[in-house]
Amino acid sequence: MTNTDLINKINKLKKEKNAIVLAHCYQNLEIDEVSDYVGDSLYLSKMAAKTNADIIVFAGVYFMAQSAKLLSPDKKILLPNITSGCLMADMINSKQLDEFKAKNPNIPVVCYINSTAEIKAKCDVCCTSSNAIDVVRNLGVEKVLFVPDTYLGKYVESKLDNVQVITYNGFCPTHLRIRIEDIENARKNYPDALILIHPECQRSVIEISDFVGSTKEIIEFAKSSTNKRFVIATEKGVVDRLNRDSKKENWDKEFILINDKIVCPNMKKNTLYDILNVLENETNEITIDESVFEGARKCIEKMFLLNVR
Ligand code: 13P
Ligand code: SF4
């Protein structure tokens, strides 16, 4: 079947079943052809909470589909490829979280949305890379524990006066592939470019870049900047979308991926064929254990309460 056939079939089924497709910006570009909303994890979780659709196909990774289920418990949430996990989210389990908390007692725990429902159920509030600074600031405490991403946690600490952020030692293997040499090479090869970087990267690399932001912030900065060339230090999907939109909308801008290994293998697992398959058969449905559901839902809802954006 050609991509056009797949796209037509998916769009027809979406109408018949009152279904929508949510796609993260790290997905393969062709997924956008069948997607109702494309964006970062914060935007997609808001869309999941808002929609009147009966079925949400979540083209992203497992924790994102779980978050959609927590926010839309009455809807059917389908993950096109059930093995699309997040390596960072899998770096902390319930026992490890208990140990981390026991070592640092009586301190509120903030978890990155890149975590399982089991972990969220044991944390006070969650955040995404778009709102992490606001969430921690708005908690109004002097000390927080932050799981699982040590780099995002430390970045948040660097942006706030008088808040100590004690981080768990998780990380994103994809973003950690960005090294100081990559930035140095980019400066040499593209001296006119601005370097835009995600806060999941190492501190030493962040410090020598021009702009730090979440997926959404990087896209917004790139669009509004008067600069013409940008080196993007985050996942390839962001670069693909920026170059596509630049061409389509005549921005006359060029976006270069910092190094060709910055590809999240799990994000790329979902295919158009998988989307058609789950829509047709309503398979790969996300369910969440009752014992963690309420706690995890509260953890996400507190983020919306604390976050001003
Ligand atoms: P965003 O919160 O920017 O969408 O990022 C999600 C993610 O998995 C980054 O690696
Ligand atoms: Fe997880 Fe990293 Fe992939 Fe994001 S890019 S989904 S943090 S492994």
Side-chain angles (χ1 to χ4, degrees):
M1 220 184 302
T2 65
N3 272 4
T4 312
D5 292 337
L6 288 167
I7 291 164
N8 290 340
K9 280 195 164 202
I10 292 167
N11 286 333
K12 187 165 171 269
L13 266 177
K14 272 170 47 182
K15 262 193 209 137
E16 279 168 24
K17 297 198 173 192
N18 189 28
I20 60 166
V21 177
L22 302 182
H24 191 268
C25 300
Y26 293 0
Q27 293 293 291
N28 285 310
L29 210 48
E30 67 265 23
I31 303 291
D32 287 11
E33 302 296 321
V34 294
S35 300
D36 299 273
Y37 303 99
V38 182
D40 70 348
S41 50
L42 180 62
Y43 172 73
L44 296 178
S45 61
K46 284 183 179 164
M47 291 303 130
K50 251 194 211 169
T51 180
N52 292 321
D54 295 315
I55 297 177
I56 299 174
V57 178
F58 208 117
V61 289
Y62 199 90
F63 76 81
M64 294 180 177
Q66 267 192 337
S67 301
K69 183 68 187 173
L70 291 165
L71 291 165
S72 282
D74 302 333
K75 302 193 170 94
K76 208 174 240 188
I77 314 293
L78 309 174
L79 184 62
N81 183 315
I82 204 69
T83 68
S84 307
C86 165
L87 295 173
M88 180 204 284
D90 293 340
M91 283 180 189
I92 187 164
N93 62 31
S94 185
K95 186 166 167 270
Q96 288 164 320
L97 176 59
D98 289 345
E99 286 163 4
F100 184 56
K101 283 183 173 187
K103 248 193 246 164
N104 304 282
N106 305 318
I107 304 172
V109 192
V110 179
C111 67
Y112 192 17
I113 199 160
N114 297 37
S115 54
T116 62
E118 205 183 5
I119 294 300
K120 287 187 178 79
K122 290 185 167 188
C123 292
D124 295 280
V125 59
C126 92
C127 67
T128 74
S129 53
S130 287
N131 64 16
I133 298 169
D134 290 339
V135 166
V136 174
R137 183 195 292 113
N138 294 349
L139 261 179
V141 295
E142 285 173 4
K143 244 187 221 186
V144 296
L145 302 186
F146 193 96
V147 302
D149 188 6
T150 187
Y151 295 102
L152 179 61
K154 284 296 167 193
Y155 174 69
V156 169
E157 183 179 63
S158 77
K159 291 288 162 194
L160 294 172
D161 294 328
N162 308 322
V163 184
Q164 188 188 353
V165 181
I166 303 167
T167 62
Y168 188 75
N169 59 2
F171 57 89
C172 165
T174 300
H175 283 87
L176 238 64
R177 290 200 193 108
I178 300 170
R179 306 273 166 185
I180 291 180
E181 303 84 81
D182 292 316
I183 307 284
E184 289 169 349
N185 286 339
R187 294 269 184 230
K188 229 186 283 156
N189 296 333
Y190 309 103
D192 56 329
L194 290 176
I195 302 178
L196 318 185
I197 193 163
H198 196 280
E200 283 176 16
C201 295
Q202 296 171 79
R203 182 133 195 147
S204 54
V205 188
I206 283 182
E207 274 168 357
I208 54 172
S209 298
D210 297 308
F211 175 81
V212 194
S214 65
T215 307
K216 179 177 166 238
E217 289 162 342
I218 287 178
I219 293 170
E220 282 174 354
F221 181 93
K223 271 189 187 173
S224 61
S225 168
T226 52
N227 220 65
K228 289 291 177 196
R229 201 183 250 181
F230 303 84
V231 171
I232 305 294
T234 189
E235 214 274 344
K236 179 176 179 291
V238 175
V239 180
D240 293 342
R241 282 169 179 77
L242 283 167
N243 278 320
R244 177 199 61 194
D245 294 347
S246 175
K247 217 186 244 171
K248 217 162 58 183
E249 296 166 19
N250 297 317
W251 303 349
D252 188 27
K253 289 183 180 179
E254 185 190 3
F255 300 93
I256 299 136
L257 183 62
I258 184 99
N259 99 39
D260 60 9
K261 293 186 208 69
I262 315 306
V263 178
C264 174
N266 278 304
M267 281 281 187
K268 303 304 193 211
K269 282 182 181 171
N270 298 311
T271 63
L272 285 173
Y273 181 80
D274 294 331
I275 293 177
L276 177 61
N277 186 32
V278 292
L279 255 180
E280 234 163 24
N281 303 307
E282 299 186 23
T283 43
N284 294 357
E285 184 178 354
I286 302 295
T287 56
I288 295 173
D289 200 283
E290 235 178 81
S291 62
V292 299
F293 198 100
E294 217 23 50
R297 192 185 59 76
K298 278 189 186 145
C299 180
I300 299 185
E301 280 186 351
K302 178 111 185 251
M303 166 177 80
F304 290 127
L305 289 176
L306 279 179
N307 174 218
V308 286
R309 272 188 266 176

